[in-house]
Amino acid sequence: MKSCIVVDDSRVIRMVARKILEELGFEVIEAEDGQMALDACKKSMPDGVLLDWNMPVMDGLQFLKELRKLPNGGDPKVVFCTTENDLNHIQEAISAGADEYIMKPFDSEIVSSKFAQVGLL
């Protein structure tokens, strides 16, 4: 079973994302911020990351940069899932190593489509 970590400071978003991902056959781990997610990745590298941008402690972009420095940190497919929808944010995320980008709000169709595009489904 493939694993995915959902990184978002909103409990509701994590809950919705977990439901969608579990229906797609993923084992789901949750993290409230980038630091918690980074700690989880150091213990066990996931196959995928669904990542919010704006979070306390460590934001999504900083998490992504730190993740990519870890041993095997280039392996997970990272899909940003955020309200930041301007071209500069998208380009910055892709430059930092994001594989794909989803705008909030999202639904199961969008998540499954993006996860299929990056090769997780």
Side-chain angles (χ1 to χ4, degrees):
M1 180 180 276
K2 288 190 176 178
S3 62
C4 183
I5 186 165
V6 176
V7 190
D8 199 300
D9 56 330
S10 165
R11 189 179 58 78
V12 173
I13 296 288
R14 290 195 313 272
M15 191 174 68
V16 171
R18 172 185 281 278
K19 184 178 183 305
I20 291 169
L21 291 166
E22 285 177 345
E23 286 173 0
L24 293 172
F26 284 89
E27 180 185 331
V28 179
I29 304 154
E30 295 181 26
E32 295 173 22
D33 60 57
Q35 187 59 59
M36 286 177 70
L38 196 61
D39 294 343
C41 290
K42 287 176 182 174
K43 288 182 188 140
S44 177
M45 196 61 72
D47 298 297
V49 180
L50 190 63
L51 182 62
D52 186 23
W53 192 296
N54 297 306
M55 296 176 289
V57 185
M58 180 188 288
D59 70 19
L61 190 65
Q62 188 59 44
F63 161 79
L64 179 56
K65 291 174 179 176
E66 295 301 318
L67 172 70
R68 294 305 192 208
K69 293 178 192 172
L70 295 176
N72 302 322
D75 295 346
K77 298 294 183 187
V78 176
V79 178
F80 257 103
C81 181
T82 181
T83 55
E84 299 294 350
N85 61 1
D86 61 275
L87 196 55
N88 289 342
H89 276 95
I90 295 169
Q91 288 174 331
E92 195 174 1
I94 300 298
S95 296
D99 297 284
E100 205 34 91
Y101 210 91
I102 296 174
M103 300 302 159
K104 287 180 183 174
F106 58 89
D107 60 22
S108 59
E109 210 173 291
I110 293 167
V111 173
S112 61
S113 163
K114 293 293 186 177
F115 273 50
Q117 282 178 23
V118 300
L120 282 168
L121 291 177

